[in-house]
Amino acid sequence: MKAAQITSFGAADVLQINDVDRPAPGAGEVLVSVEASSVNGHDVIVRSGEVKMISGRRFPIGVGLDFAGVVAATGAGVEGYRVGDRVWGMVHPRQRHSVAGAAEYVVVPAERVSHAPVDLSAVDAAALVVAGSTALIALRDSVHLADGERVLVRGAAGGVGTAAVQLAHAMGGHVTALARDRHAELLTDLGADEVLDHRSTTSDEIGPFDVIVDTVGTELHCYRSRLTKGGRMVTVALSPSALAAIAASSIHGSRRIRTFSANPETPVLRAVAGHVTSGALRPVIDSVYPLADIAAAHQAFERGGVVGKHVMTVPRSSL
């Protein structure tokens, strides 16, 4: 089969589509015939070599954190899934994989997949696995957003940002989206009550907010200062500067900057599917690439200015 792999640490051109053995599911595992995967910051960081302690230095390394497709086979002891079922899921972000989601087939433990929403195409589903799960965990589990609270979503036009705007709106928040002016119409349609241009709006000009969801990772201490007395802030951008700000904020107790590593298993994926089915959450896709053009997809991600997600399809006939 074909699989996208990192052959050395570096820029997007280190990505290659290689011929590898098709995996077989072991006990408790599911083999998924992948139809789509998306580009995530995690994939880019692994490729760059910034997290060698997690990925290791042995090549090739599989790329593609998420996937959407159909069950091709199940291992012993797996219940609830049959061949042909439409599923979505993630490989474990803190484990090394020689083959990951950007491949024709991927094997994962059964607890790392869930049935995909029936009304979503594979491309749409792939756009929501990481974005939807991350936004849900941030709002529901990390900052515990309550009905009527004022929410700032920073980096609102990105994959996690667009999902966070929708879910915060669905959870009863009054949502302020910080993005570019040209995205105002889209973000308003997604549920934002107010859209501010991040290029002309400084942190001391806005707020206060009960909840801040950050996807950018810079100036965190400035935005933390815009919290109400009982406010909570979470960032999903784990740059070195962000980690330093998170550590320094620990003295502020409940108003510290929180973070987490999104690692959704079946219950979270089911919850995201529920929001899709209810109409509260829909995918936002910037562009779609065939898997053979994964390097171009990574380059587009790194250029920034993305609206939603870059998704890759896995058209076997063209690989």
Side-chain angles (χ1 to χ4, degrees), residues 2-4 17 33-39 66-69 86 101-105 121-127 285 287-295 297 309-319:
K2 303 289 186 180
I17 306 298
S33 176
V34 179
E35 296 178 348
S37 180
S38 78
V39 182
D66 53 31
F67 55 85
R86 303 201 65 81
E104 289 189 306
Y105 292 89
S121 68
V123 168
D124 287 343
I285 297 172
S287 53
V288 180
Y289 298 79
L291 183 59
D293 292 338
I294 187 172
K309 297 284 290 184
H310 295 297
V311 179
M312 296 163 296
T313 59
V314 187
R316 286 161 178 74
S317 61
S318 65
L319 290 178

Side-chain angles (χ1 to χ4, degrees), residues 150 179 224 244 256 271:
R150 293 181 56 85
R224 194 205 63 78
R256 71 191 184 278

Side-chain angles (χ1 to χ4, degrees), residues 31-209:
L31 174 69
V32 177
S33 176
V34 179
E35 296 178 348
S37 180
S38 78
V39 182
N40 294 283
H42 173 272
D43 305 313
V44 174
I45 291 172
V46 169
R47 194 204 71 218
S48 72
E50 292 181 30
V51 289
K52 297 184 182 74
M53 293 295 291
I54 298 174
S55 66
R57 300 169 182 263
R58 182 163 52 90
F59 299 102
I61 298 171
V63 66
L65 188 59
D66 53 31
F67 55 85
V70 299
V71 174
T74 59
V78 173
E79 298 180 353
Y81 298 102
R82 297 180 298 178
V83 172
D85 284 354
R86 303 201 65 81
V87 295
W88 59 358
M90 273 180 55
V91 299
H92 198 297
R94 295 189 295 277
Q95 293 180 356
R96 184 190 182 279
H97 305 274
S98 60
V99 173
E104 289 189 306
Y105 292 89
V106 65
V107 163
V108 291
E111 61 266 22
R112 301 201 65 79
V113 299
S114 174
H115 289 97
V118 295
D119 293 333
L120 289 187
S121 68
V123 168
D124 287 343
L128 280 176
V129 175
V130 171
S133 298
T134 302
L136 180 62
I137 294 169
L139 289 163
R140 185 191 68 181
D141 304 332
S142 183
V143 297
H144 307 288
L145 176 64
D147 184 35
E149 289 192 308
R150 293 181 56 85
V151 184
L152 173 68
V153 179
R154 188 169 176 236
V160 174
T162 52
V165 167
Q166 295 177 77
L167 291 176
H169 172 75
M171 295 166 73
H174 181 280
V175 184
T176 297
L178 198 58
R180 294 187 181 184
D181 269 349
R182 70 171 185 262
H183 305 319
E185 182 177 355
L186 167 66
L187 292 168
T188 300
D189 185 53
L190 293 177
D193 297 283
E194 182 181 25
V195 181
L196 302 176
D197 190 334
H198 75 89
R199 296 169 299 178
S200 58
T201 305
T202 62
S203 60
D204 58 2
E205 296 175 321
I206 59 176
F209 298 99

